[in-house]
Each structure stands twice: as structure tokens, then as C-alpha cells.
Amino acid sequence: MKALRFYDKRDLRYEDAPDPVIEKPDEVIVKVKAVGICGSDLARYKNLGPYVPGNVWGHEFAGEVVEVGSGVTDIKPGDRVVGCPNLVCHDCEYCNGGHPARCESLNTIGAYAPGAFAEYIKMPAINLVHMVEGMTYEEGALVEPATVAIHGLYRTGIKMGYTVAVVGCGNIGLMSIAWAKAFGAKTVYALDIDDGQLETAKKFGADVVINTTNIDFHDEIRKYCNGVDLAIESAGNPFTAARVLGLPHKGGEVVYMGIPYNDVPVPRFYFERIMRNELNVIGSWCTISAPYPGKEWSNAVDYIGNHKVNLTDMISHQVNLSQGPEMFEKIIANPKEYGKVLLYPEECK
């Protein structure tokens, strides 16, 4: 089969890869129909390099089942599915305790196991979720990044009437805005340094947009309210990771969804907000809960597939998988021109 194989920083190749073969009774082979480029893919491509040189990459996908193992009873060839990319042991204290996102052996397809930038992928049946009737493969490919935001929100106390600030209006930030509204947020403030991204944030439900260039987060938000109930850090930027602590009111919450790839220096004023304001500071990792893969996945498929939440506006480019290597270079060269990019192993429509 054809696939994108990742050899080194900025060395991604469209070439032949071994076809997946059923080896265990719980395995399923899926024909990949659409697969998205994740922000973490871009960071690894540009700065970090592969976990295993030459491994097939990618993890945000939807597709059609073509073969199932002898022990699979609830999935059959022809089923349309989305794939949860997280691989867990299902047997450590965290998995047994209902917290698979903390699994001692947590892994992800595209890291050490072959990923979804390919014509076919092999997955455990438990990692596959049926798409609802009428759901497109484009919508299916958005489910995984949606579950990142949903899992983070489930870690918080968000409820109807909450005020929420989202820092960073990239794809996960836009997801967070849309899902915060779906969770019942009354007012969502979107913060970013790019006016174009802020305009896009309005389309996803942001009520107030704030350009944070050369402003103080703590003082600025208090022009609108006395601090928010919940602040979401989705930029993964060391600067914003520190200053997001100034956005909640006393007793409020901060949840970190963005991944900073450098150290995070925290000015004393912002660090003291944790103590003086008795903030609840929450980390969010992965997309899964119990029963595996969790309500994040069932709800994402339901809300996206039944158009209760519309996320397809974030799709900016749709190209053939063979164009993957050049697309990564284009995104790095002009990141503001690209939203969610989908790749198609078959001919792009």
C-alpha cells in the first residue's frame, strides 16, 4: 500500500509500506478514507523527528472496515468508523481504575505503531466507533481533534451558564469554543494575537474576541467581567501558558490542553494567582475515558454527525495523500493560510 513514512525532521516520504495483516482475533483492518494533519504532527515534523524512523504516520482518521479478526462480533466489513488512536494496556492500575488516559503503557498510532497516513490501517476493534448514518468522512476525521477538547472540558466543572476564556484560536482552540458552547457556556471569550483567527473564532461561537498583542491578560479580561469561571489554554505557547492563570476569578479553573514545546517561565504575579485566588489548575492529556474509549467519542460522533455542532468550516484544504510531504512544507512556510488540512489516500473529490 501507499503511505506517508516519517524518517527524520522534515523528511516525510510518500512510498510503499507493508499492507496490514490480521494477527490477533480482536483486530480490524480499515480502509482510510480521510485523515487530518494535527498540530502535534507539525511540531514533530519540524522540530522533533519521528519516534521510529520510517514508521507510517498520522492519527486523525475515518474509514471503512474491510476485514475483521475471528473474535470481532460488533464490527463487520462495510461499516463506516472513526478510529481512536490511543493504545492502552487495559490492565494497569489506571486502566482498571477507569482512567485509561493515564495508562502506564499509553501509546498512539503513528508513534510506535503504524498510523493512518496510509491506504489501510490495523486497529483493535475496541478503538473503533461507528459513524452515524449520513455522516461524512470529512466529519469523521474531525472527531479525534474534537475529543481532545471534549476530554479537557470533562476534566472541569463546566456547566450551563459558565463564562469561558479560550487562549489560542488554532484548531483545538476553535474546537474548545464550539464545545464550550455545546456544554452550555453563556459567554465565551476568544483570545489570540491574529485578527483573522479571531474572526474565525466568532463563527465557532465566540461572543467576545480579544487581540492579546501587548496587553495584560489579568487586567484586560476584567474590562468585561470579574474573571471567568474557566480558562482554557489551547495555544501551547510558553507565554500564554503562564498568563492564562490571570483570567479566572477567585476559585475559578484553568485547564491546559495545548502542548508547550519549551520551558514555561511563570512571572510571580501569575503564579501567585494559583494560591491567592485558590485556582483549580487541571491538566488534560489524551482523548479517552471509561468505558473505553469513552463518552468523548460517542458524544463527538453524535454531535458532529447529527450536526448539533458544526466544525467543517475549519477545513481549509483537501488534497491527495501523495501531496502530504509538500503540504507539510507549505503549512510551515505560511501557517496562517491553513486551518484543518485533510489528506485522502484515494483520489480527492
Side-chain angles (χ1 to χ4, degrees), residues 65-315:
V65 173
V66 295
E67 185 179 354
V68 303
S70 60
V72 178
T73 59
D74 57 346
I75 296 174
K76 64 184 184 302
D79 285 354
R80 300 165 69 251
V81 296
V82 298
C84 171
N86 308 122
L87 305 174
V88 301
C89 71
H90 300 288
D91 196 39
C92 68
E93 63 175 302
Y94 297 107
C95 287
N96 286 329
H99 301 287
R102 305 171 194 174
C103 176
E104 295 280 13
S105 304
L106 181 66
N107 191 6
T108 302
I109 60 169
Y112 295 97
F117 287 152
E119 292 183 88
Y120 299 92
I121 184 170
K122 180 172 68 174
M123 298 284 288
I126 197 172
N127 285 66
L128 299 174
V129 179
H130 286 95
M131 296 167 62
V132 298
E133 185 175 354
M135 188 175 188
T136 68
Y137 288 118
E138 288 74 19
E139 291 169 329
L142 294 175
V143 167
E144 193 279 339
T147 60
V148 174
I150 297 171
H151 180 77
L153 288 169
Y154 277 139
R155 298 272 295 127
T156 75
I158 189 171
K159 55 182 177 288
M160 187 176 293
Y162 251 42
T163 54
V164 177
V166 177
V167 182
C169 296
N171 289 328
I172 297 302
L174 296 175
M175 292 278 190
S176 297
I177 292 166
W179 289 105
K181 281 292 190 178
F183 272 67
K186 177 178 68 176
T187 305
V188 176
Y189 300 88
L191 292 76
D192 201 287
I193 59 173
D194 184 275
D195 287 332
Q197 288 300 107
L198 291 171
E199 284 300 310
T200 302
K202 293 179 183 178
K203 298 178 182 179
F204 284 81
D207 300 287
V208 179
V209 297
I210 302 171
N211 189 307
T212 54
T213 304
N214 299 321
I215 69 164
D216 180 279
F217 280 32
H218 177 273
D219 292 344
E220 187 69 20
I221 200 69
R222 280 156 183 81
K223 295 177 182 177
Y224 301 91
C225 62
N226 190 33
V228 297
D229 297 307
L230 169 65
I232 299 170
E233 206 297 316
S234 55
N237 181 287
F239 183 88
T240 57
R243 284 152 184 81
V244 68
L245 296 166
L247 294 173
H249 56 60
K250 292 185 177 184
E253 296 177 295
V254 175
V255 61
Y256 285 93
M257 296 186 195
I259 305 172
Y261 288 95
N262 291 293
D263 291 342
V264 180
V266 183
R268 177 181 172 182
F269 174 84
Y270 287 101
F271 186 82
E272 284 192 350
R273 296 313 96 196
I274 300 173
M275 298 171 291
R276 292 180 182 273
N277 289 352
E278 295 192 328
L279 299 183
N280 293 309
V281 180
I282 302 161
S284 179
W285 189 250
C286 220
T287 68
I288 48 179
S289 61
Y292 194 88
K295 57 186 177 182
E296 295 91 336
W297 288 84
S298 56
N299 285 337
V301 168
D302 175 24
Y303 273 64
I304 296 171
N306 289 309
H307 305 130
K308 301 173 187 177
V309 172
N310 182 13
L311 303 175
T312 53
D313 282 350
M314 70 172 51
I315 300 172

Side-chain angles (χ1 to χ4, degrees), residues 331-349:
I331 298 171
I332 288 173
N334 296 289
K336 292 182 179 180
E337 294 184 10
Y338 295 85
K340 176 59 67 178
V341 176
L342 298 185
L343 305 178
Y344 295 79
E346 299 176 309
E347 184 177 352
C348 183
K349 296 181 180 179

